[in-house]
Amino acid sequence: MDSWPVAERPRTTESIGSRKRQKFAVRGYPEVDVGAGGPNVVTLVEQDGRFEWTWLVKNDNQVNRLRPSKSTTIFPATRPPPDPPVKSTILQSAERGANFLRTYLPDVDIPAELIRDQLSRDAQIMDGLEKFDPYMGNLLELIVAHEQAFLAFPMGELNCSLNISPFRDSGDGIVFKPSAHPIRTFDTPIRQIATTVSGIQTAYLAVRTFGQTSFLEIDASRSTPYLDEVAALSHNDTGGRAVVDVILSTVPFSSLVVNDLGSIYRCDIVDGDKIVDLVHLAAETEGGDQRNLFWRLARGAEDTNCLLASEHSLSQIDIRV
């Protein structure tokens, strides 16, 4: 440590104003320069029995860097492109709604102002969901069972069909073999797909839709995987609220779900019967439609706890009943 490190490259800062340009020299002492080249942060390291300065972030062009390659379509789109939005104002939509009610329901007297207020509220909600939908989860999941690997994803015009396609060993590498036929079709669009961690004897799959959350046992011993539904959660099981996230534990037939209010439920299968327990009750909050709808779950370090994330906080929850 014979000298302080400095920025050796010439650099000046120009101040342009009503006066003539003035140039300020860079001072020769340790500094942090946040720019395109990254922060120039230094530290002391021991080298040959003595300390010397070195950069924390090294700009070495020889270092191998991961760069994204060109994307390749491995499964074509099965949904049609969305319809173009109707270009009309809220006032025009309210007038059309009022005319419809006067024509077909003449005995119903609903003020046009009430229709306009409701349409304005719906437009705000839809704009918020286009920016971020708290009910949308992961739709691409890797399944590992019986020393085989599969990829699960939704397909179809409404994303109501579940596709499970295998990965095959071609000798030169792993090849994805997509199937054009779904393995199961649900009544409502799929919003999330989750599976158990790899390495356990039996694999399970959770498929969350608008209507319910289905828990499926995967039999991968045959060429085409077979799914057996072991349990299903409806809104009645989760306090009359929609589920926004689900995780599967390493214990067979055990799962945790959180609804859009932040309450956590555990679903177990005992002797063929479904048992649902409330393990965490959400705190009552005010705000109406402006309440926090974003909730996500993660496994904890132990089987007796989990992590619950919201828009503003991260909590560790004890799930023992």
Side-chain angles (χ1 to χ4, degrees), residues 72-144:
T72 303
T73 301
I74 62 175
F75 193 83
T78 56
R79 299 184 64 185
D83 296 331
V86 179
K87 297 182 179 180
S88 62
T89 64
I90 295 178
L91 181 59
Q92 292 173 341
S93 300
E95 291 178 352
R96 286 198 300 266
N99 292 333
F100 174 83
L101 293 176
R102 296 189 191 103
T103 303
Y104 296 97
L105 299 172
D107 297 334
V108 178
D109 185 14
I110 299 179
E113 293 78 8
L114 182 60
I115 300 177
R116 185 174 62 251
D117 294 341
Q118 186 64 38
L119 290 177
S120 299
R121 181 186 175 193
D122 292 344
Q124 293 177 356
I125 295 176
M126 294 306 298
D127 289 341
L129 291 178
E130 289 182 358
K131 296 177 182 177
F132 175 74
D133 186 358
Y135 296 94
M136 180 62 71
N138 180 37
L139 297 179
L140 197 66
E141 191 70 23
L142 181 66
I143 304 172
V144 179

Side-chain angles (χ1 to χ4, degrees), residues 7-256:
E8 300 292 347
R9 60 186 182 276
R11 182 166 59 89
T12 60
T13 303
E14 295 185 359
S15 176
I16 303 176
S18 58
R19 303 177 182 178
K20 64 180 182 179
R21 296 182 178 180
Q22 297 178 352
K23 294 186 178 181
F24 303 94
V26 177
R27 300 181 184 276
Y29 55 75
E31 62 176 348
V32 176
D33 180 17
V34 181
N40 295 332
V41 184
V42 295
T43 186
L44 285 172
V45 297
E46 186 176 2
Q47 182 71 22
D48 298 330
R50 58 185 299 177
F51 288 94
E52 67 179 16
W53 292 101
T54 183
W55 302 105
L56 283 180
V57 180
K58 296 183 179 180
N59 186 14
D60 188 359
N61 295 328
Q62 302 301 323
V63 176
N64 294 327
R65 294 180 174 87
L66 295 177
R67 293 181 176 86
S69 60
K70 183 180 179 180
S71 61
T72 303
T73 301
I74 62 175
F75 193 83
T78 56
R79 299 184 64 185
D83 296 331
V86 179
K87 297 182 179 180
S88 62
T89 64
I90 295 178
L91 181 59
Q92 292 173 341
S93 300
E95 291 178 352
R96 286 198 300 266
N99 292 333
F100 174 83
L101 293 176
R102 296 189 191 103
T103 303
Y104 296 97
L105 299 172
D107 297 334
V108 178
D109 185 14
I110 299 179
E113 293 78 8
L114 182 60
I115 300 177
R116 185 174 62 251
D117 294 341
Q118 186 64 38
L119 290 177
S120 299
R121 181 186 175 193
D122 292 344
Q124 293 177 356
I125 295 176
M126 294 306 298
D127 289 341
L129 291 178
E130 289 182 358
K131 296 177 182 177
F132 175 74
D133 186 358
Y135 296 94
M136 180 62 71
N138 180 37
L139 297 179
L140 197 66
E141 191 70 23
L142 181 66
I143 304 172
V144 179
H146 295 279
E147 298 183 353
Q148 298 187 69
F150 304 88
L151 190 66
F153 56 93
M155 62 176 293
E157 291 189 22
L158 300 177
N159 268 13
C160 294
S161 301
L162 177 65
N163 188 311
I164 298 182
S165 298
F167 291 93
R168 302 299 185 194
D169 188 359
S170 64
D172 297 332
I174 303 299
V175 179
F176 180 59
K177 296 288 187 179
S179 172
H181 304 285
I183 194 171
R184 176 166 294 203
T185 299
F186 298 87
D187 295 333
T188 54
I190 298 173
R191 307 292 281 174
Q192 181 187 3
I193 301 174
T195 185
T196 51
V197 295
S198 59
I200 62 177
Q201 186 67 23
T202 305
Y204 296 92
L205 191 70
V207 179
R208 177 169 61 86
T209 66
F210 276 110
Q212 66 179 13
T213 301
S214 301
F215 300 101
L216 310 167
E217 181 179 354
I218 305 172
D219 183 5
S221 59
R222 57 190 76 180
S223 58
T224 301
Y226 175 76
L227 301 181
D228 182 23
E229 184 174 282
V230 296
L233 285 180
S234 64
H235 290 182
N236 294 331
D237 298 317
T238 55
R241 304 296 307 185
V243 173
V244 294
D245 195 21
V246 54
I247 59 173
L248 300 179
S249 67
T250 56
V251 181
F253 304 116
S254 181
S255 66
L256 292 175

